[in-house]
Amino acid sequence: MSFMTKPKIHHPNLPKNKLGLTTRDYEGGMSTLCAGCGHDSITAGLIEAVWALDIEPFRVAKMSGIGCSSKTPAYFLREAHGINAVHGRMPSIATGAQAANPELHFIGVSGDGDSLNIGFGQFAHAIRRDVNMLYIIENNGVYGLTKGQFSASADVGSKAKYGQVNENPPIDPVLTAITLGCGFVARGFSGDKEQLIPLIQAGLKHNGFALIDVISPCVAFNDHQGSSKSYAHTREFFHPAIHTDFIPPREEIKVEYEKGRAMPIELHDGSTIVLRKIDVDHEPTNRAAAIGYLERHREAQEIVTGLLYVNSEEHEEGGRKLPARSLTGVDGVGDPVGVLEAFQGGCR
Amino acid sequence: MPKVNDFTLKIATVNGTGSASANALLMKSIFRMGVPVMGKNYFPSNIQGLPTWYEIRVTDPGHLTRAGQVHFMVAMNAETFAKDQAELAPGGYLFYDSTWPRHREITRDDITVIGVPLAEMINHHFVEPRTRILMKNVAYVGALAALLDLDLDIIEQLLKETFGEKKAKLVEPNMEAVHIGYDYAKKHYDCPLPLHVKKADMTKGHVIVDGNTTAALGAMLAGANVAAWYPITPSTSVMDAFTSFCAKHRHDEDGTPQYKIIQAEDELAACGMVLGAGWMGARAFTATSGPGISLMNEFVSFGYYTEIPAVIFDIQRVGPSTGMPTRTQQSDINECAYAGHGDTRHICLYPADPREAFDFSIKSFDLAERFQTPVFMVSDLDIGMNEWMVPELKWDESYQPDRGKVLSAEDLDKLEGRYGRYQDPDRDGIPQRTLPGVHPKGAYFTRGSGHSEHATYTEDAAEYQRVLDRLRRKFDTAKDHIPAPYIDYARSKPVKAGIISLGSCDLAVKEARHNLKGKGTEFDYCRIRAFPFTDHIRRFIDEHDTIFVIEQNRDAQLKCMLQAELDADAKKLVSILHYNGLPIASMHIESTITDYCQEAEAC
Ligand SMILES: Cc1ncc(C[n+]2csc(CCOP(=O)(O)OP(=O)(O)O)c2C)c(N)n1
Ligand code: SF4
């Protein structure tokens, strides 16, 4: 076999979660991405986040499209079923899978090309349907897997590795999601795990579509000078607007927050996310204000991060309102002969 | 010449005027008189204002198909009057609304003209403009009732059933309109005409249904519970019917629905949703037509390689975008069989009528799960949207859904060693499947691209090829599970020439065979009901010197497949093609075969 599975070594003193599992139990196969690729850091963040939530790995369905980013579900949760769909079409697979069995946790991983170019339609419609899933875009401004072409998230003026300059304005997944009515919209940076992990946890617990756009530099094709998605550039313009803490159900909220800056939001399962404003101007529960804030900072070329918009109220429409249980058994109808006869009675 | 209980009636109207219900009333009343009847609707793709025709054929129960000849034309559309007149067979009857006399437009002297001033009488009787339009149609039903000797009590009863208790007060004005037409015809013409309907006892045990409704019913009874679709004529009524069947019959005791129907953003997404649900373990399907299949191709390939069950109903229609989308054709035969990129081939079922559409719909779900692959039920507009008289649908009480090789949590608990998703434990090409969320041991990563027998990523040549070869083996195994062809030999030994056809050509072929036999030539008949093609078909071809391959498309798609799949001798195969958007007519088949045989002395 040409690709290895990671050896499962148990370290006796690794911390265990409530299921008695260590983070090692949440790992997957060995990554085949370039050393230093931002995507691998996100994988590591996912492993820690799911572990800390005490979710049984096999109760997760992980899904992706096509791209380097979309390969990553193979690198976490080896005990979970995964599906590497076709390019840009993971949202429809997720929609159908969730209709069939809403009892599982759904994690989708996509790329900026996957979601904002070829899959923009499906991405938008999954948000519109409020498919109950965590949806991560590993955003590097290029197509990694096909070797460095610009994607729809590349900024105007950003330079490609061999000098071409991007002329088309970017599609911002965060602004797009907010306008489409997404109830959980965040941005992170693969280089800041501390910020990312609580976002992933909160996103998984959010009842509905949770988007996290994670700036995830491509070291092979988009980490040079002149690129607006490089590590250096992201660090320089990184602007955390809000800090998120995730607190599991029944755990005491220990931190004392300065008045006016902290905002606890209780989720449907009793867990809480506490938002702490770093920038007082940001209003994460007000859609228009959030959009305005993002627009202002975009003009200043800042990369605003954190949980940027949240609305944990249940949406009335949306897929997750229908059968709340699995449809994977075959239910016929109790009395097929009767049904058939009743139908045919009207056909004579 | 047409006789009692053996003629074709065609009604030319304008769509959007409410003629559909009048035509259905006519057809149903003939059926209730115990006389076999067929109803075909040739409708335009707009909502209002274009010509539309409804063809009713009264004949022997075995030949309820389009013959290709009209004996009685109800010409209600001024725009198509000349064309409609021209279509009448010599000796036929031309019925029109004589409120507007058309003496100068009536050019034929070999037909009988029947004028009834419908508009004048109706406008005199009813005031409201919309009512006048609707009642004009009901009045021609009345006039035809007199001319063709239809039973007024049956018509009244049908109106009562249509309007139900809520709209019961509409029955009376409708019957008034019926009588207006009826009385006028009685008074001015010799009723009934030589061509008319006579009560009989030939419809017992039959129903009048369309194939989209029966397909939807089959899907529900087979336990399908996730459906995703994007609206497209002529498949929309599959999902409409499925929705209403589910709303009626598919709820938990506390009223929670046991199904989920999603209107997707396009057909590609619909197919993805079906695959997502199938991967998760639900019985899922979509319904579409050719343009939708084109969009689904990418996912169909994916489903084939990842081995995910899915059912796709293709209700075939005439080609791309607008123009003729509401006309029938069998032009997706190749598209469905080989949909997708890469080496793909798919199980296809070809129902011939609504009853078979019901049976095959159920069968599709079992095959999809047994073979873990997308399965196409290739129907068409004629089957799906027209009213067919067919033997009653039957439920097989012993039916158990075949879920195929799915490993349960217990199976996985007991499993020694590692689970291999794409292995071939039973040497039939069919691997074992696990469902997400059931057991940690069942987990695997589903990928369309190169995967090993353990579902791991591979770029190893031999490993990849093994998976491909197994897929081929699996396809061959399907031959033993799909519906066998229907083969009918004219005599105890094969005659010189045979006919191969499929789907909705069936009744037209049967009638042509019957008529040809009457003229002294017999033909054996093989109706293909599924792909992959089985050895029965190969044998049938071998047994005959000449094979007429009859299908409803321009490019001889079925014939090409027979050559490619069975290596059939091209010189033996003679195509009979029909592709103008109307259902194939038996006369077309009959005359083409006759001409060919005279020239080639082949039969
Ligand atoms: C239909 C189709 N077209 C093109 C491709 C080729 N392709 C594979 S990955 C990819 C781009 C992936 O870019 P992105 O989603 O940004 O992910 P990254 O590799 O940067 O993580 C393309 C164009 C494909 N797989 N399928
Ligand atoms: S090409 Fe870029 S995106 Fe792909 S693995 Fe390498 S660094 Fe990551």
Side-chain angles (χ1 to χ4, degrees), chain A residues 1 58-59 79 81-82 84 89 92 96-97 122 125 129 319 325 327-331 333 336 344 347-348, chain B residues 32 208 221 225 250 252 258 260 263 265 268-269 273 280-281 299 302 392-393 395 403 434 437 442 444 446:
Chain A
M1 216 163 41
F58 82 100
R59 298 296 288 169
E79 289 183 350
H81 273 68
N84 197 178
R89 322 294 180 198
S92 61
Q122 293 211 347
H125 284 276
R129 287 193 187 92
R325 62 167 182 80
L327 292 175
T328 56
V330 167
D331 307 303
V333 289
Q344 299 199 104
C347 306
R348 291 190 190 106
Chain B
R32 290 261 176 112
I208 292 200
L221 293 179
N225 46 15
R250 295 292 294 278
D252 281 351
Q258 288 179 349
K260 171 98 194 190
Q263 187 186 317
E265 56 269 35
L268 178 55
M273 291 171 192
M280 197 50 91
F299 259 139
F302 180 76
E392 280 168 3
L393 312 181
W395 180 253
R403 306 232 51 195
T434 58
Y444 68 96
T446 312

Short mmCIF file of all heavy atoms in Angstrom, two decimals, chain A residues 1 58-59 79 81-82 84 89 92 96-97 122 125 129 319 325 327-331 333 336 344 347-348, chain B residues 32 208 221 225 250 252 258 260 263 265 268-269 273 280-281 299 302 392-393 395 403 434 437 442 444 446:
data_model
loop_
_atom_site.label_atom_id
_atom_site.label_comp_id
_atom_site.label_asym_id
_atom_site.label_seq_id
_atom_site.Cartn_x
_atom_site.Cartn_y
_atom_site.Cartn_z
N MET A 1 0.84 -1.20 0.00
CA MET A 1 0.00 0.00 0.00
C MET A 1 0.87 1.25 0.00
O MET A 1 1.87 1.31 0.70
CB MET A 1 -0.88 -0.02 1.25
CG MET A 1 -2.22 0.54 0.97
SD MET A 1 -3.41 0.09 2.26
CE MET A 1 -2.47 0.27 3.74
N PHE A 58 -17.28 7.63 16.19
CA PHE A 58 -18.07 6.99 15.13
C PHE A 58 -19.46 7.61 14.96
O PHE A 58 -20.18 7.26 14.04
CB PHE A 58 -18.15 5.47 15.34
CG PHE A 58 -19.19 5.00 16.30
CD1 PHE A 58 -20.41 4.50 15.85
CD2 PHE A 58 -18.97 5.04 17.67
CE1 PHE A 58 -21.38 4.05 16.73
CE2 PHE A 58 -19.93 4.60 18.57
CZ PHE A 58 -21.14 4.11 18.10
N ARG A 59 -19.80 8.54 15.83
CA ARG A 59 -21.09 9.22 15.67
C ARG A 59 -20.94 10.52 14.87
O ARG A 59 -21.81 11.39 14.91
CB ARG A 59 -21.72 9.51 17.04
CG ARG A 59 -22.03 8.24 17.84
CD ARG A 59 -23.07 7.37 17.18
NE ARG A 59 -24.41 7.95 17.26
CZ ARG A 59 -25.47 7.50 16.59
NH1 ARG A 59 -25.33 6.46 15.77
NH2 ARG A 59 -26.65 8.06 16.73
N GLU A 79 -12.38 6.56 13.12
CA GLU A 79 -13.54 5.69 13.37
C GLU A 79 -14.85 6.26 12.85
O GLU A 79 -15.92 5.73 13.12
CB GLU A 79 -13.65 5.41 14.88
CG GLU A 79 -12.55 4.49 15.36
CD GLU A 79 -12.67 4.13 16.83
OE1 GLU A 79 -13.50 4.74 17.53
OE2 GLU A 79 -11.93 3.24 17.25
N HIS A 81 -17.23 7.46 9.59
CA HIS A 81 -17.40 7.36 8.15
C HIS A 81 -17.10 8.71 7.52
O HIS A 81 -17.50 9.75 8.05
CB HIS A 81 -18.84 6.99 7.80
CG HIS A 81 -19.10 5.52 7.77
ND1 HIS A 81 -19.07 4.74 8.90
CD2 HIS A 81 -19.40 4.68 6.73
CE1 HIS A 81 -19.35 3.49 8.57
NE2 HIS A 81 -19.54 3.42 7.26
N GLY A 82 -16.40 8.67 6.40
CA GLY A 82 -16.09 9.92 5.71
C GLY A 82 -16.48 9.81 4.26
O GLY A 82 -16.59 8.71 3.72
N ASN A 84 -15.54 11.75 0.54
CA ASN A 84 -14.81 12.71 -0.25
C ASN A 84 -15.60 12.83 -1.56
O ASN A 84 -15.48 12.00 -2.44
CB ASN A 84 -13.42 12.09 -0.50
CG ASN A 84 -12.38 13.07 -0.95
OD1 ASN A 84 -11.24 12.68 -1.14
ND2 ASN A 84 -12.72 14.31 -1.12
N ARG A 89 -19.32 19.87 -4.44
CA ARG A 89 -20.68 19.34 -4.26
C ARG A 89 -20.90 18.67 -2.92
O ARG A 89 -21.85 17.94 -2.75
CB ARG A 89 -21.04 18.35 -5.37
CG ARG A 89 -20.53 18.69 -6.74
CD ARG A 89 -21.18 19.93 -7.31
NE ARG A 89 -20.64 20.20 -8.63
CZ ARG A 89 -20.73 21.36 -9.26
NH1 ARG A 89 -21.33 22.39 -8.70
NH2 ARG A 89 -20.22 21.52 -10.45
N SER A 92 -24.44 19.16 -1.06
CA SER A 92 -25.63 18.36 -1.39
C SER A 92 -25.55 16.98 -0.75
O SER A 92 -26.56 16.44 -0.28
CB SER A 92 -25.82 18.25 -2.91
OG SER A 92 -24.73 17.61 -3.52
N GLY A 96 -28.37 15.55 1.94
CA GLY A 96 -29.06 14.27 1.83
C GLY A 96 -28.73 13.35 2.99
O GLY A 96 -29.61 12.69 3.55
N ALA A 97 -27.45 13.33 3.38
CA ALA A 97 -27.03 12.45 4.47
C ALA A 97 -27.74 12.87 5.75
O ALA A 97 -28.21 12.04 6.53
CB ALA A 97 -25.52 12.52 4.65
N GLN A 122 -24.06 25.41 -4.38
CA GLN A 122 -24.42 24.44 -3.34
C GLN A 122 -24.11 24.99 -1.95
O GLN A 122 -24.85 24.75 -0.99
CB GLN A 122 -23.68 23.11 -3.56
CG GLN A 122 -24.14 22.40 -4.82
CD GLN A 122 -24.05 20.89 -4.73
OE1 GLN A 122 -23.44 20.33 -3.83
NE2 GLN A 122 -24.68 20.21 -5.67
N HIS A 125 -26.88 27.30 -1.01
CA HIS A 125 -28.16 26.64 -0.74
C HIS A 125 -28.13 25.81 0.54
O HIS A 125 -29.15 25.64 1.19
CB HIS A 125 -28.59 25.82 -1.95
CG HIS A 125 -29.13 26.67 -3.04
ND1 HIS A 125 -30.44 27.11 -3.06
CD2 HIS A 125 -28.54 27.25 -4.12
CE1 HIS A 125 -30.63 27.89 -4.11
NE2 HIS A 125 -29.48 27.99 -4.77
N ARG A 129 -30.75 26.36 3.49
CA ARG A 129 -31.53 25.28 4.09
C ARG A 129 -31.17 25.06 5.55
O ARG A 129 -31.77 24.25 6.22
CB ARG A 129 -31.26 23.96 3.35
CG ARG A 129 -31.89 23.93 2.03
CD ARG A 129 -31.89 22.52 1.44
NE ARG A 129 -32.38 22.66 0.09
CZ ARG A 129 -31.60 22.83 -0.96
NH1 ARG A 129 -30.29 22.77 -0.83
NH2 ARG A 129 -32.12 23.02 -2.15
N GLY A 319 -34.00 22.56 6.90
CA GLY A 319 -34.07 21.10 6.89
C GLY A 319 -34.23 20.48 8.25
O GLY A 319 -35.00 19.55 8.43
N ARG A 325 -35.33 12.11 13.54
CA ARG A 325 -34.75 10.80 13.79
C ARG A 325 -34.29 10.17 12.49
O ARG A 325 -34.61 10.66 11.41
CB ARG A 325 -35.77 9.92 14.48
CG ARG A 325 -37.00 9.67 13.64
CD ARG A 325 -37.80 8.55 14.26
NE ARG A 325 -38.96 8.23 13.48
CZ ARG A 325 -38.95 7.49 12.39
NH1 ARG A 325 -37.82 7.03 11.90
NH2 ARG A 325 -40.05 7.21 11.74
N LEU A 327 -33.79 7.96 9.26
CA LEU A 327 -34.67 7.33 8.28
C LEU A 327 -33.95 6.18 7.58
O LEU A 327 -34.27 5.83 6.46
CB LEU A 327 -35.10 8.36 7.24
CG LEU A 327 -36.01 9.49 7.71
CD1 LEU A 327 -36.24 10.49 6.59
CD2 LEU A 327 -37.34 8.95 8.20
N THR A 328 -32.98 5.61 8.28
CA THR A 328 -32.17 4.61 7.60
C THR A 328 -32.76 3.21 7.62
O THR A 328 -32.28 2.33 6.93
CB THR A 328 -30.74 4.56 8.19
OG1 THR A 328 -30.86 4.31 9.58
CG2 THR A 328 -30.03 5.87 7.97
N GLY A 329 -33.78 3.02 8.41
CA GLY A 329 -34.50 1.75 8.33
C GLY A 329 -35.49 1.89 7.19
O GLY A 329 -35.84 2.99 6.80
N VAL A 330 -35.93 0.79 6.61
CA VAL A 330 -36.92 0.92 5.54
C VAL A 330 -38.30 0.80 6.14
O VAL A 330 -38.70 -0.27 6.60
CB VAL A 330 -36.70 -0.13 4.44
CG1 VAL A 330 -37.90 -0.17 3.52
CG2 VAL A 330 -35.47 0.24 3.64
N ASP A 331 -39.02 1.91 6.18
CA ASP A 331 -40.39 1.86 6.65
C ASP A 331 -41.28 1.85 5.43
O ASP A 331 -41.30 2.80 4.68
CB ASP A 331 -40.75 3.13 7.45
CG ASP A 331 -39.75 3.37 8.58
OD1 ASP A 331 -39.61 2.47 9.40
OD2 ASP A 331 -39.14 4.45 8.61
N VAL A 333 -45.36 0.97 4.37
CA VAL A 333 -46.57 1.40 5.05
C VAL A 333 -47.20 0.17 5.66
O VAL A 333 -47.00 -0.94 5.19
CB VAL A 333 -47.55 2.10 4.10
CG1 VAL A 333 -47.01 3.45 3.70
CG2 VAL A 333 -47.81 1.26 2.89
N PRO A 336 -49.99 -2.22 2.82
CA PRO A 336 -49.83 -1.89 1.40
C PRO A 336 -51.03 -2.29 0.56
O PRO A 336 -51.40 -1.56 -0.37
CB PRO A 336 -48.59 -2.68 0.98
CG PRO A 336 -48.18 -3.50 2.12
CD PRO A 336 -48.93 -3.08 3.33
N GLN A 344 -56.56 2.58 -6.06
CA GLN A 344 -57.15 2.09 -7.32
C GLN A 344 -58.66 2.31 -7.36
O GLN A 344 -59.24 2.38 -8.43
CB GLN A 344 -56.79 0.62 -7.54
CG GLN A 344 -55.28 0.45 -7.65
CD GLN A 344 -54.85 -0.85 -8.30
OE1 GLN A 344 -54.46 -0.86 -9.44
NE2 GLN A 344 -54.94 -1.96 -7.57
N CYS A 347 -59.41 4.99 -9.56
CA CYS A 347 -58.92 4.87 -10.95
C CYS A 347 -59.85 4.03 -11.82
O CYS A 347 -59.41 3.47 -12.83
CB CYS A 347 -57.53 4.24 -10.97
SG CYS A 347 -56.35 5.07 -9.95
N ARG A 348 -61.10 3.92 -11.39
CA ARG A 348 -61.99 3.06 -12.20
C ARG A 348 -63.15 3.87 -12.76
O ARG A 348 -63.48 4.89 -12.24
CB ARG A 348 -62.54 1.94 -11.33
CG ARG A 348 -61.47 0.95 -10.94
CD ARG A 348 -62.06 -0.29 -10.29
NE ARG A 348 -60.99 -1.08 -9.74
CZ ARG A 348 -60.72 -1.17 -8.42
NH1 ARG A 348 -61.50 -0.57 -7.55
NH2 ARG A 348 -59.70 -1.89 -8.00
N ARG B 32 -66.12 3.32 -18.04
CA ARG B 32 -67.20 2.85 -17.14
C ARG B 32 -68.28 2.08 -17.89
O ARG B 32 -69.04 1.35 -17.28
CB ARG B 32 -67.84 4.05 -16.44
CG ARG B 32 -66.95 4.72 -15.42
CD ARG B 32 -67.27 4.27 -14.01
NE ARG B 32 -66.34 4.85 -13.06
CZ ARG B 32 -66.66 5.77 -12.15
NH1 ARG B 32 -67.91 6.18 -12.04
NH2 ARG B 32 -65.75 6.24 -11.33
N ILE B 208 -57.52 2.88 -14.68
CA ILE B 208 -56.95 3.91 -15.56
C ILE B 208 -55.96 4.72 -14.73
O ILE B 208 -56.33 5.35 -13.74
CB ILE B 208 -58.06 4.80 -16.13
CG1 ILE B 208 -58.88 3.95 -17.08
CG2 ILE B 208 -57.45 6.02 -16.82
CD1 ILE B 208 -59.68 4.71 -18.07
N LEU B 221 -44.32 2.47 -1.45
CA LEU B 221 -44.54 1.14 -0.88
C LEU B 221 -43.23 0.37 -0.72
O LEU B 221 -43.12 -0.52 0.13
CB LEU B 221 -45.54 0.36 -1.74
CG LEU B 221 -46.97 0.92 -1.71
CD1 LEU B 221 -47.88 0.09 -2.61
CD2 LEU B 221 -47.54 0.96 -0.31
N ASN B 225 -37.73 6.86 1.47
CA ASN B 225 -38.09 7.90 2.43
C ASN B 225 -37.30 9.20 2.30
O ASN B 225 -37.57 10.16 3.01
CB ASN B 225 -38.05 7.38 3.86
CG ASN B 225 -36.78 6.59 4.12
OD1 ASN B 225 -35.84 6.67 3.35
ND2 ASN B 225 -36.75 5.84 5.21
N ARG B 250 -47.35 8.24 5.38
CA ARG B 250 -46.03 8.01 5.96
C ARG B 250 -45.75 8.87 7.19
O ARG B 250 -44.91 9.74 7.16
CB ARG B 250 -44.95 8.24 4.90
CG ARG B 250 -45.00 7.23 3.76
CD ARG B 250 -44.62 5.84 4.24
NE ARG B 250 -43.25 5.76 4.66
CZ ARG B 250 -42.23 5.59 3.84
NH1 ARG B 250 -42.43 5.49 2.56
NH2 ARG B 250 -41.01 5.53 4.30
N ASP B 252 -45.33 8.78 11.66
CA ASP B 252 -45.31 8.03 12.91
C ASP B 252 -46.66 8.18 13.59
O ASP B 252 -47.47 9.00 13.20
CB ASP B 252 -44.26 8.63 13.86
CG ASP B 252 -42.88 8.19 13.48
OD1 ASP B 252 -42.77 7.31 12.61
OD2 ASP B 252 -41.92 8.73 14.05
N GLN B 258 -42.24 10.40 8.29
CA GLN B 258 -41.18 9.39 8.15
C GLN B 258 -40.51 9.54 6.80
O GLN B 258 -40.10 8.57 6.19
CB GLN B 258 -41.78 8.00 8.19
CG GLN B 258 -42.27 7.56 9.53
CD GLN B 258 -42.86 6.17 9.42
OE1 GLN B 258 -43.08 5.65 8.33
NE2 GLN B 258 -43.12 5.57 10.55
N LYS B 260 -38.56 12.59 3.89
CA LYS B 260 -38.08 13.95 3.68
C LYS B 260 -37.96 14.17 2.18
O LYS B 260 -37.31 13.39 1.49
CB LYS B 260 -36.72 14.09 4.37
CG LYS B 260 -36.01 15.34 4.07
CD LYS B 260 -36.21 16.35 5.15
CE LYS B 260 -35.77 17.69 4.62
NZ LYS B 260 -35.68 18.71 5.57
N GLN B 263 -36.64 19.90 -2.43
CA GLN B 263 -36.54 20.50 -3.76
C GLN B 263 -35.16 21.14 -3.85
O GLN B 263 -34.89 22.15 -3.22
CB GLN B 263 -37.65 21.52 -3.99
CG GLN B 263 -37.64 22.00 -5.44
CD GLN B 263 -38.63 23.12 -5.69
OE1 GLN B 263 -39.76 23.07 -5.23
NE2 GLN B 263 -38.21 24.13 -6.42
N GLU B 265 -31.56 22.75 -5.60
CA GLU B 265 -31.30 23.94 -6.42
C GLU B 265 -31.06 23.58 -7.88
O GLU B 265 -31.15 24.44 -8.76
CB GLU B 265 -30.13 24.75 -5.87
CG GLU B 265 -28.81 23.98 -5.70
CD GLU B 265 -28.68 23.36 -4.32
OE1 GLU B 265 -29.71 22.93 -3.75
OE2 GLU B 265 -27.54 23.29 -3.81
N LEU B 268 -28.04 18.36 -10.31
CA LEU B 268 -26.77 17.83 -9.79
C LEU B 268 -26.85 17.75 -8.27
O LEU B 268 -26.48 16.74 -7.66
CB LEU B 268 -25.62 18.74 -10.24
CG LEU B 268 -24.22 18.37 -9.75
CD1 LEU B 268 -23.86 16.94 -10.09
CD2 LEU B 268 -23.20 19.32 -10.36
N ALA B 269 -27.36 18.79 -7.66
CA ALA B 269 -27.53 18.79 -6.21
C ALA B 269 -28.53 17.72 -5.80
O ALA B 269 -28.33 17.02 -4.81
CB ALA B 269 -27.97 20.16 -5.73
N MET B 273 -27.81 14.80 -3.13
CA MET B 273 -28.63 14.55 -1.94
C MET B 273 -29.06 13.09 -1.86
O MET B 273 -29.05 12.48 -0.80
CB MET B 273 -29.85 15.48 -1.95
CG MET B 273 -29.48 16.93 -1.73
SD MET B 273 -30.89 18.01 -1.99
CE MET B 273 -30.05 19.60 -2.03
N MET B 280 -25.92 7.11 3.69
CA MET B 280 -26.30 7.05 5.10
C MET B 280 -27.20 5.86 5.39
O MET B 280 -27.36 5.45 6.53
CB MET B 280 -27.01 8.37 5.43
CG MET B 280 -27.15 8.72 6.87
SD MET B 280 -25.65 8.61 7.84
CE MET B 280 -24.95 10.22 7.71
N GLY B 281 -27.82 5.30 4.35
CA GLY B 281 -28.62 4.10 4.55
C GLY B 281 -30.10 4.24 4.29
O GLY B 281 -30.87 3.32 4.51
N PHE B 299 -22.22 13.11 -10.63
CA PHE B 299 -22.53 12.36 -9.42
C PHE B 299 -22.87 10.90 -9.70
O PHE B 299 -22.68 10.03 -8.86
CB PHE B 299 -23.69 13.02 -8.67
CG PHE B 299 -23.24 13.84 -7.49
CD1 PHE B 299 -23.82 15.07 -7.20
CD2 PHE B 299 -22.24 13.37 -6.63
CE1 PHE B 299 -23.41 15.82 -6.11
CE2 PHE B 299 -21.83 14.12 -5.53
CZ PHE B 299 -22.42 15.35 -5.28
N PHE B 302 -19.74 9.14 -9.68
CA PHE B 302 -19.29 9.05 -8.29
C PHE B 302 -20.04 7.93 -7.56
O PHE B 302 -19.42 7.11 -6.86
CB PHE B 302 -19.54 10.41 -7.61
CG PHE B 302 -19.11 10.46 -6.17
CD1 PHE B 302 -17.77 10.56 -5.83
CD2 PHE B 302 -20.06 10.42 -5.15
CE1 PHE B 302 -17.38 10.61 -4.49
CE2 PHE B 302 -19.67 10.47 -3.82
CZ PHE B 302 -18.33 10.57 -3.49
N GLU B 392 -55.16 -4.23 -13.00
CA GLU B 392 -54.95 -3.67 -11.66
C GLU B 392 -53.54 -3.94 -11.15
O GLU B 392 -52.96 -4.98 -11.40
CB GLU B 392 -55.93 -4.32 -10.69
CG GLU B 392 -57.30 -3.70 -10.77
CD GLU B 392 -58.33 -4.51 -10.02
OE1 GLU B 392 -57.97 -5.53 -9.40
OE2 GLU B 392 -59.51 -4.13 -10.09
N LEU B 393 -53.02 -2.99 -10.38
CA LEU B 393 -51.72 -3.18 -9.75
C LEU B 393 -51.89 -4.21 -8.64
O LEU B 393 -52.90 -4.23 -7.94
CB LEU B 393 -51.23 -1.87 -9.15
CG LEU B 393 -51.30 -0.61 -10.03
CD1 LEU B 393 -50.74 0.59 -9.27
CD2 LEU B 393 -50.54 -0.81 -11.33
N TRP B 395 -50.12 -6.16 -5.23
CA TRP B 395 -49.07 -6.12 -4.22
C TRP B 395 -48.65 -7.54 -3.88
O TRP B 395 -49.50 -8.39 -3.57
CB TRP B 395 -49.56 -5.41 -2.95
CG TRP B 395 -48.50 -5.37 -1.91
CD1 TRP B 395 -48.45 -6.11 -0.76
CD2 TRP B 395 -47.31 -4.57 -1.93
NE1 TRP B 395 -47.30 -5.82 -0.06
CE2 TRP B 395 -46.58 -4.88 -0.75
CE3 TRP B 395 -46.78 -3.63 -2.83
CZ2 TRP B 395 -45.36 -4.27 -0.45
CZ3 TRP B 395 -45.57 -3.03 -2.52
CH2 TRP B 395 -44.88 -3.36 -1.35
N ARG B 403 -32.24 -5.30 1.22
CA ARG B 403 -31.31 -4.24 1.60
C ARG B 403 -29.87 -4.59 1.21
O ARG B 403 -28.95 -3.82 1.46
CB ARG B 403 -31.42 -3.96 3.09
CG ARG B 403 -32.88 -3.66 3.49
CD ARG B 403 -33.03 -2.39 4.26
NE ARG B 403 -32.41 -1.25 3.63
CZ ARG B 403 -32.18 -0.10 4.25
NH1 ARG B 403 -32.49 0.02 5.52
NH2 ARG B 403 -31.64 0.90 3.62
N THR B 434 -21.23 -0.80 5.05
CA THR B 434 -21.55 -0.43 6.43
C THR B 434 -22.16 0.97 6.39
O THR B 434 -21.93 1.71 5.45
CB THR B 434 -20.29 -0.37 7.30
OG1 THR B 434 -19.38 0.57 6.72
CG2 THR B 434 -19.62 -1.72 7.43
N GLY B 437 -22.23 5.80 11.60
CA GLY B 437 -22.82 5.93 12.92
C GLY B 437 -23.21 4.62 13.58
O GLY B 437 -23.78 4.63 14.67
N GLY B 442 -16.83 -0.28 11.37
CA GLY B 442 -17.34 -0.19 10.00
C GLY B 442 -16.85 1.03 9.25
O GLY B 442 -17.11 1.18 8.05
N TYR B 444 -15.05 3.77 7.11
CA TYR B 444 -14.13 3.80 5.97
C TYR B 444 -14.29 5.15 5.32
O TYR B 444 -15.25 5.88 5.60
CB TYR B 444 -14.43 2.67 4.98
CG TYR B 444 -15.73 2.81 4.26
CD1 TYR B 444 -15.80 3.39 2.99
CD2 TYR B 444 -16.93 2.38 4.85
CE1 TYR B 444 -17.01 3.53 2.34
CE2 TYR B 444 -18.14 2.53 4.21
CZ TYR B 444 -18.18 3.11 2.96
OH TYR B 444 -19.37 3.27 2.31
N THR B 446 -14.99 7.13 2.04
CA THR B 446 -15.57 6.94 0.72
C THR B 446 -14.95 7.90 -0.29
O THR B 446 -15.04 9.11 -0.12
CB THR B 446 -17.09 7.23 0.80
OG1 THR B 446 -17.62 6.54 1.92
CG2 THR B 446 -17.80 6.83 -0.46
#
